[in-house]
Amino acid sequence: MKIIPVLLAIILVSAALYFLTRKREYLYYTKKGKLWLGFAGVAVITMMDELTSIFYAPGEAFRFIGYKAITYLSLTSLLIFLYSLTMTEIAEILENNKIKGGGVYSFSYFVFGATASFIAAGSIIVDYVNTAVMSSISAVENLNFFFHWPLVFKLGLELLIIWLIAILNLLGARENAKVTYALFAITAYVLTVLAFLGISNLDHAQINKIVDSYKTTLSQDFLTLDPVKTIELISIGFGSTILAYSGIESVLQTHKLVENWKTIYKAYIMLGLTVGIFTPLIGTLALARVENPLDHVDDLITYYSQLVGTNIMAIAVVILASLTLAFAVNTALVGATELISTMADNHKAYWISKENRFHAHYRIIIFMSIFFSFIVLITQGNQDIVADMYAIGLIATFVINTGTIILYKIVRGSAQTKEYRTGILRNIILFTIFLSTFIYIVIHKPYGTAMWTFVVAFFIIAGNIITRIKTTEEEEKIAQIDKYADVVDYIGKLPEDKPIHIFFRRPSENVQEIGDNMIYITFFFLRQKRPPKKLFKSHFILPVNAFWGIGYSTKKLLEAINEQYPNKTFTIHFGWPLSSWFERIFTGVMVYNILQMPKQFPNWNFIIEYRAGSYKPKNTKE
């Protein structure tokens, strides 16, 4: 082994870890008597999930697309980083609506309601199941590099890993930030040494393989004259490498463990500067160095470490792979347990999330461990089959998140993204790529499609049964808010000799000049935590149509008023739209509906107005 690359790697990692530990509140901290995870505490939990993908994803990618995998590992890294910024915006939206935790489940529930959230939850559970199964199989396959065990013995070890992790969780032992950080530090040293050794061993043949990969991918996939073919090839490329970044959604899942969404943002930046660099770098070096990667799909990185180092390096990588992959099983089990318990509590199905004396959700843990074991047994521990099943749940959550935030912006604008905002055009591009990749996976990977369909169907059926049995928070909120008929009836009680003014105002806007014959309307989304307080008797809190949004709901209210009072004249007041005009190109549905209203109600007065003091500046603290 070369000494200089090893020393350089050790110095670099030591300096990086020292710099990280100098940051205040980087791992965890206490504030007002409550313990919060810092950005590094969140990032390393997710990182130990994502980094495990290094040990199987490059080989599996090569199995599908050959040396194009070198290029797509880097492109997918960039794509995932852009997507992580979108999830940062989702975190801010949820937090501004008093929702923390649940990730894609909470966001889809907030925007679309229960049924859509069950689809999202089923998708992420598929991802967790395949993460746990793939990690346990890969852990044993990396150990098998030296031992060559028979199939029955390997299956026994894979099941043993799953149930040991289950027992630890049943006893109340889950992630510990200090233990996770220590394992992260060891991983950083080993992988950085491996990367430096690989770079120092580069020769012309390996460099040519890398260059040829980029040239071939660019010419064959991106510069074709057939746009349909281009989309198809790009979808295949991303679909074949996307599992290298599984775990990215875990940061958003841990939202309730952090003080605010800004910690989520810092965690994603840290992931982009670590996993986003190491995964494509080591994958590229391994694929360029190993003569025939198809012969080493299951142990590509271990074999590569032996080539660039010695047996000592290979042993270190095997031990690291086994530890981190076993830890990924734990992360998947904890994530699935937290998600299902959150859903159960949200729908008041407390019997599902019942705890034992160690405060562990034992019923969920046992059920998920049985599910993990079942998949291991029916696949006979075949890594290739599990890899085929893996990506669909992950990419489904990407499609749901990006699609949901696009619709959210179109319907509701950017009122809930005051400090951090991603461009809707970028989200449309991400959604298009993710959707085409999802379609490719559905068509070409039947095992994964069957599993995803079954789990999602189960969640929809079981979820709807539970929500019908239990009284949900949504029903309690409906009892607190008004109906359109309440507004119509109130108008009938007003004096006929005075003009009637109807003010549509958001909860954050100041109320001015509310007096006789003046009605104040606030729309409320049922997915929000609680309705705003009624300010006076002429203030009405009305529900919003979940799909079509405020513009559509406003129109329906005015139609109901006009039908009841066709001969009355009303003056309708709307707040001034302050979003950028570029954004209004995409989010102008509400404004478009407002502009069309004079055609529907030609005898009414319509005013779009801004009054001094109605809005607080963007960065003003509440």
Side-chain angles (χ1 to χ4, degrees):
M1 226 176 357
K2 296 181 179 180
I3 299 299
I4 294 178
V6 174
L7 290 176
L8 286 174
I10 292 173
I11 293 171
L12 178 64
V13 174
S14 298
L17 292 175
Y18 175 76
F19 173 78
L20 184 61
T21 56
R22 299 289 293 177
K23 295 286 185 181
R24 292 184 60 192
E25 303 175 344
Y26 76 101
L27 198 57
Y28 59 86
Y29 58 95
T30 302
K31 191 171 183 179
K32 295 182 180 179
K34 187 166 184 178
L35 182 67
W36 299 107
L37 285 181
F39 70 92
V42 172
V44 295
I45 292 173
T46 300
M47 198 178 299
M48 298 319 299
D49 189 358
E50 278 198 78
L51 280 176
T52 57
S53 304
I54 290 178
F55 298 109
Y56 53 77
E60 291 295 338
F62 186 87
R63 185 164 66 91
F64 290 110
I65 56 176
Y67 284 106
K68 286 184 180 180
I70 291 174
T71 305
Y72 276 105
L73 282 170
S74 299
L75 293 177
T76 306
S77 178
L78 176 60
L79 187 74
I80 294 300
F81 178 71
L82 293 175
Y83 173 63
S84 71
L85 299 180
T86 294
M87 288 198 284
T88 299
E89 184 177 14
I90 291 172
E92 186 190 2
I93 292 171
L94 291 175
E95 191 171 305
N96 287 336
N97 286 281
K98 313 300 181 186
I99 302 171
K100 292 179 74 174
V104 63
Y105 159 74
S106 294
F107 191 48
S108 57
Y109 181 81
F110 172 63
V111 176
F112 290 116
T115 301
S117 72
F118 296 144
I119 297 173
S123 299
I124 204 165
I125 287 296
V126 169
D127 182 37
Y128 282 137
V129 170
N130 285 320
T131 294
V133 174
M134 190 73 163
S135 298
S136 63
I137 292 172
S138 186
V140 173
E141 290 295 343
N142 276 276
L143 284 172
N144 196 47
F145 179 78
F146 290 109
F147 298 103
H148 307 293
W149 292 310
L151 176 61
V152 174
F153 190 76
K154 289 194 294 183
L155 287 174
L157 284 179
E158 289 156 11
L159 295 175
L160 179 63
I161 290 172
I162 290 171
W163 284 99
L164 282 176
I165 296 297
I167 290 170
L168 287 174
N169 277 268
L170 288 170
L171 295 175
R174 306 194 304 177
E175 300 121 293
N176 179 283
K178 287 185 176 179
V179 173
T180 310
Y181 185 77
L183 186 56
F184 156 69
I186 295 170
T187 304
Y189 278 111
V190 173
L191 292 182
T192 304
V193 168
L194 185 60
F196 272 59
L197 286 172
I199 293 171
S200 66
N201 278 273
L202 277 174
D203 56 27
H204 290 295
Q206 294 173 48
I207 293 173
N208 287 335
K209 279 185 183 178
I210 297 171
V211 172
D212 288 344
S213 171
Y214 280 90
K215 285 182 177 179
T216 302
T217 305
L218 184 63
S219 61
Q220 292 184 0
D221 292 12
F222 288 87
L223 299 179
T224 64
L225 298 178
D226 184 351
V228 175
K229 187 68 174 177
T230 297
I231 293 174
E232 180 185 356
L233 292 172
I234 292 174
S235 301
I236 294 171
F238 284 128
S240 300
T241 53
I242 200 76
L243 59 83
Y245 302 92
S246 106
I248 190 68
E249 73 288 343
S250 299
V251 176
L252 193 58
Q253 289 288 116
T254 59
H255 192 180
K256 64 182 176 182
L257 303 178
V258 302
E259 185 178 2
N260 55 53
W261 65 268
K262 293 178 182 178
T263 304
I264 298 292
Y265 173 69
K266 293 177 182 177
Y268 275 130
I269 295 297
M270 183 175 173
L271 286 173
L273 295 174
T274 51
V275 177
I277 294 173
F278 273 98
T279 296
L281 176 61
I282 293 177
T284 294
L285 293 172
L287 291 172
R289 177 60 187 266
V290 176
E291 283 298 325
N292 190 359
L294 278 178
D295 294 337
H296 298 278
V297 169
D298 296 339
D299 55 15
L300 178 69
I301 303 302
T302 303
Y303 180 66
Y304 165 70
S305 65
Q306 188 180 50
L307 292 178
V308 298
T310 62
N311 282 335
I312 295 176
M313 189 67 204
I315 291 171
V317 169
V318 165
I319 294 172
L320 176 67
S322 301
L323 284 173
T324 55
L325 287 162
F327 198 90
V329 176
N330 181 65
T331 303
L333 183 57
V334 170
T337 303
E338 290 291 337
L339 175 60
I340 295 175
S341 65
T342 298
M343 294 176 64
D345 293 345
N346 189 41
H347 297 290
K348 302 187 184 302
Y350 300 118
W351 60 273
I352 296 175
S353 58
K354 189 175 181 180
E355 296 180 346
N356 61 13
R357 62 191 182 95
F358 299 106
H359 304 290
H361 302 290
Y362 68 95
R363 291 178 176 174
I364 302 174
I365 292 170
I366 292 173
F367 172 77
M368 292 308 304
S369 300
I370 292 172
F371 197 179
F372 295 167
S373 303
F374 174 71
I375 298 299
V376 168
L377 292 174
I378 65 170
T379 61
Q380 291 290 287
N382 189 312
Q383 184 170 299
D384 294 344
I385 294 176
V386 178
D388 284 351
M389 298 164 59
Y390 199 158
I392 189 167
L394 181 67
I395 201 68
T397 63
F398 293 177
V399 172
I400 292 169
N401 264 337
T402 51
T404 303
I405 197 168
I406 289 168
L407 185 61
Y408 180 91
K409 283 174 172 286
I410 289 174
V411 172
R412 309 187 192 182
S414 301
Q416 297 295 331
T417 53
K418 298 177 181 178
E419 296 186 63
Y420 190 86
R421 190 176 300 173
T422 58
I424 194 167
L425 182 59
R426 186 177 73 185
N427 287 320
I428 289 173
I429 293 172
L430 289 175
F431 174 76
T432 303
I433 294 172
F434 291 145
L435 181 61
S436 60
T437 303
F438 178 78
I439 293 171
Y440 159 75
I441 293 172
V442 166
I443 294 172
H444 293 91
K445 299 187 178 183
Y447 294 122
T449 302
M451 180 181 181
W452 178 79
T453 303
F454 171 79
V455 173
V456 167
F458 172 80
F459 268 78
I460 291 174
I461 294 170
N464 278 289
I465 291 173
I466 290 171
T467 54
R468 286 195 183 100
I469 294 174
K470 300 292 181 180
T471 301
T472 65
E473 291 182 11
E474 186 172 306
E475 291 169 331
E476 295 172 2
K477 292 173 193 171
I478 290 174
Q480 300 176 40
I481 61 180
D482 300 303
K483 303 178 181 62
Y484 290 4
D486 295 329
V487 181
V488 173
D489 292 342
Y490 182 81
I491 292 172
K493 300 174 184 177
L494 296 176
E496 303 232 353
D497 58 339
K498 291 185 178 180
I500 299 174
H501 295 261
I502 300 177
F503 293 81
F504 289 91
R505 291 288 187 268
R506 284 179 267 183
S508 59
E509 295 175 351
N510 295 330
V511 182
Q512 298 179 357
E513 297 183 14
I514 296 296
D516 293 339
N517 282 31
M518 292 185 178
I519 298 170
Y520 176 45
I521 304 293
T522 299
F523 281 111
F524 169 70
F525 290 94
L526 292 175
R527 314 304 171 211
Q528 292 174 270
K529 280 294 183 183
R530 65 181 70 88
K533 292 181 180 179
K534 295 190 71 166
L535 303 176
F536 28 73
K537 65 178 182 179
S538 60
H539 179 201
F540 295 91
I541 313 296
L542 300 179
V544 176
N545 181 284
F547 186 82
W548 294 109
I550 293 175
Y552 177 83
S553 301
T554 301
K555 179 181 173 183
K556 288 299 177 183
L557 172 63
L558 296 183
E559 286 177 351
I561 294 172
N562 187 52
E563 182 178 350
Q564 186 69 24
Y565 308 105
N567 298 320
K568 281 193 176 184
T569 299
F570 297 87
T571 300
I572 313 299
H573 301 258
F574 295 102
W576 192 271
L578 294 178
S579 298
S580 69
W581 283 107
F582 175 77
E583 193 169 67
R584 283 293 170 195
I585 294 173
F586 301 99
T587 63
V589 175
M590 181 178 68
V591 174
Y592 174 79
N593 285 330
I594 291 173
L595 296 178
Q596 297 302 307
M597 286 178 183
K599 296 179 181 178
Q600 284 187 282
F601 312 101
N603 297 322
W604 292 8
N605 304 308
F606 290 88
I607 301 173
I608 299 177
E609 59 187 353
Y610 172 77
R611 300 191 177 192
S614 294
Y615 294 86
K616 292 183 178 180
K618 189 174 183 180
N619 296 322
T620 300
K621 293 183 180 179
E622 298 268 342

